[in-house]
Amino acid sequence: MTARALWFLCLIVGSSPEAPVAERKASPPHNRKPDPSGGASTEETPRSQVQQVPEAPRRPRAAAGAEPCARACRADLDERESYCESEFAVNGIVHDVDVLGTGIRLVTLLVDQDGLYKMNRLYITPDGFFFRVHVLALDSSSCNKPCPEFKPGSRYIVMGHIYHKRRQLPTALLQVLRGRLRPGDGLLRSSSSYVKRFNRKRDRQVQSAVHTQCI
């Protein structure tokens, strides 16, 4: 076979459609584009289709008891109204506080002549320059902070009622007192009495109420 014939045979074999073609292995794409419609791609794996569970709403913290106690202990009446609603009104310095039980305190106030706004039948005992006034303070608020609050050495404006008869108080309470509360002593209840720290503004308000006719 001549060289020209051999060249012609190779040309025919190389151009045959059945000639083997190198096979390429398709590798999975690493990044897939999202579906143009906005939905998830149909080729996503099940793991990527797991929906996140919505977080449960957090419960608000329970309100502290300070605010309800403050409201229960705060006098809603102003100085003039409290003066008219009360049987006695004084301002004095707390000499001592005797705790007889839960919510039961006997308070001794030292009151000068100018501090006796309103007396009626309030029992007072001379003590040098001052007068001693005994007051039973009953606290029904069940709060950690006493209501009303009395700190020894501090001056307060106090308005309340006067203890007259044994039937004003329950028998169980009278047994606790053991005769230490006398007719004419002051009686304060946390829901209906006025007890606030003394200051000049409140003093002027009470002094003004003294000269005002109560309706």
Side-chain angles (χ1 to χ4, degrees):
M1 181 180 292
T2 64
R4 185 176 181 181
L6 181 62
W7 176 85
F8 184 74
L9 180 62
C10 291
L11 180 63
I12 294 174
V13 173
S15 61
S16 176
E18 297 181 354
V21 179
E23 184 180 2
R24 290 183 298 178
K25 294 183 180 180
S27 58
H30 295 286
N31 297 322
R32 298 183 183 274
K33 297 182 179 180
D35 189 8
S37 62
S41 174
T42 57
E43 296 180 359
E44 291 180 352
T45 61
R47 178 179 301 177
S48 64
Q49 296 178 354
V50 177
Q51 296 182 354
Q52 295 182 352
V53 179
E55 185 179 356
R58 297 181 180 179
R59 294 183 179 180
R61 295 183 179 179
E67 184 61 23
C69 287
R71 288 197 301 267
C73 197
R74 184 179 62 238
D76 293 329
L77 301 178
D78 60 21
E79 285 75 20
R80 182 181 180 280
E81 292 173 318
S82 297
Y83 179 87
C84 292
E85 294 291 332
S86 301
E87 294 181 319
F88 80 93
V90 300
N91 84 68
I93 301 171
V94 178
H95 182 268
D96 58 63
V97 179
D98 191 0
V99 180
L100 303 180
T102 303
I104 307 171
R105 292 167 295 158
L106 275 175
V107 182
T108 302
L109 299 173
L110 298 180
V111 183
D112 60 20
Q113 185 68 42
D114 294 333
L116 296 172
Y117 303 122
K118 183 179 183 180
M119 293 180 58
N120 284 333
R121 297 183 179 180
L122 181 67
Y123 185 82
I124 59 176
T125 305
D127 186 356
F129 180 76
F130 295 96
F131 299 96
R132 283 180 180 257
V133 175
H134 299 281
V135 177
L136 174 65
L138 299 178
D139 181 5
S140 59
S141 63
S142 300
C143 297
N144 294 330
K145 186 177 180 180
C147 173
E149 183 181 15
F150 286 102
K151 292 184 177 181
S154 297
R155 181 184 291 270
Y156 293 86
I157 296 176
V158 181
M159 303 186 224
H161 291 82
I162 297 175
Y163 175 64
H164 298 288
K165 303 174 183 178
R166 291 179 61 86
R167 66 172 178 268
Q168 280 183 272
L169 300 176
T171 303
L173 179 56
L174 292 173
Q175 293 176 352
V176 174
L177 294 172
R178 298 177 182 178
R180 300 179 63 178
L181 188 68
R182 300 163 297 182
D185 288 341
L187 181 60
L188 302 176
R189 299 182 186 275
S190 57
S191 59
S192 60
S193 301
Y194 178 101
V195 178
K196 289 186 178 181
R197 287 288 189 96
F198 175 90
N199 61 36
R200 295 298 178 186
K201 180 179 179 181
R202 290 170 181 160
D203 178 58
R204 288 194 298 268
Q205 294 289 344
V206 180
Q207 293 284 3
S208 176
V210 173
H211 303 288
T212 302
Q213 182 178 1
C214 296
I215 300 175

